[in-house]
Amino acid sequence: MSDFYKKILDNNKQWVESQLSIDPEYFKDLSKGQNPPLLWIGCSDSRVPANEIIGAKPGDVFVHRNIANMVVHSDMNMLSVLDYAVSVLKVKHVIVCGHYGCGGIKAAMENNSIGIIDNWIRHIKDVYRFHKPELDAMDNEDERFNKFVEINVREQVLDLAKTSIVQSAWKIGQELTLHGWVYGLNSGYVTDLDVNFSSNKDLDEVYQLYFK
């Protein structure tokens, strides 16, 4: 058994003991169910832990993570998480959180083949293509990289709003707001991009769904 593997098992035991020393009923209460007000759709990057960034406790945040925090309309994993969060848990907020320095975004700006992930990166490349004139006009590569991170988050929030899951919740008057954030790896702070949707009226008419 490697030292690292043994250490993380030991860390778990220490964490359990620490929680129980504060509240002997902690895990018993936690096991009774969850009622999180927030769904977090973030990047798989190990440096972007959803709960820690916002100081949330276990049970506060329902989480879905993938490379570059994408909302892909054919991704059944993401859609299943979204449907459960919205339709069953009745979350009131969904945050798409990207981060500066994202490797997936960087890969989409280049032409190097990485492997099977190329197929996922293609979705990000599509976002670049939609905004190519704006991005290509930026001479500073770092600024263009950061801007692409922000644009990608905006597009993913928009794609969330397009889903029948979200729009059906709005149809029945369910309180649900979508937000877009970017996390700074070098600062720890999040930037609210001020991209918020709480009704399909915020969408272009072609994306607005009508339910019988």
Side-chain angles (χ1 to χ4, degrees), residues 45-208:
D45 194 300
S46 61
R47 300 166 294 177
V48 192
N51 283 59
E52 290 186 39
I53 287 174
I54 58 175
K57 299 176 181 179
D60 289 345
V61 186
F62 202 59
V63 178
H64 175 76
R65 297 171 70 174
N66 60 47
I67 293 172
N69 42 269
M70 298 298 289
V71 175
V72 178
H73 73 276
S74 57
D75 180 0
M76 290 303 297
N77 186 352
M78 183 280 299
L79 290 173
S80 297
V81 171
L82 178 64
D83 187 49
Y84 188 77
V86 172
S87 304
V88 179
L89 297 177
K90 306 295 184 183
V91 298
K92 290 180 171 57
H93 301 273
V94 181
I95 293 174
V96 177
C97 186
H99 67 97
Y100 297 116
C102 179
I105 297 295
K106 185 67 173 177
M109 299 175 71
E110 300 172 347
N111 297 99
N112 298 318
S113 176
I114 305 173
I116 195 170
I117 193 178
D118 295 341
N119 299 282
W120 185 259
I121 298 298
R122 195 193 70 200
H123 295 294
I124 314 172
K125 286 180 177 288
D126 288 340
V127 175
Y128 194 102
R129 178 169 57 86
F130 297 154
H131 298 270
K132 193 176 192 308
E134 177 185 359
L135 290 167
D136 283 356
M138 303 179 71
D139 294 329
N140 186 290
E141 185 176 347
D142 290 336
E143 290 180 3
R144 184 166 64 250
F145 185 11
N146 289 340
K147 175 59 71 172
F148 188 20
V149 167
E150 295 172 359
I151 286 174
N152 185 61
V153 169
R154 293 177 182 275
E155 288 290 340
Q156 303 320 306
V157 175
L158 178 60
D159 284 342
L160 263 182
K162 295 174 187 175
T163 64
S164 60
I165 296 168
V166 168
Q167 292 196 43
S168 63
W170 286 334
K171 174 64 177 178
I172 62 174
Q174 186 172 329
E175 181 184 349
L176 180 65
T177 306
L178 315 179
H179 314 271
W181 289 5
V182 178
Y183 175 69
L185 290 175
N186 61 353
S187 71
Y189 289 105
V190 295
T191 298
D192 184 347
L193 296 179
D194 197 27
V195 50
N196 306 289
F197 291 91
S198 57
S199 166
N200 71 352
K201 293 179 181 178
D202 299 325
L203 294 171
D204 189 289
E205 187 176 0
V206 72
Y207 295 118
Q208 295 179 14

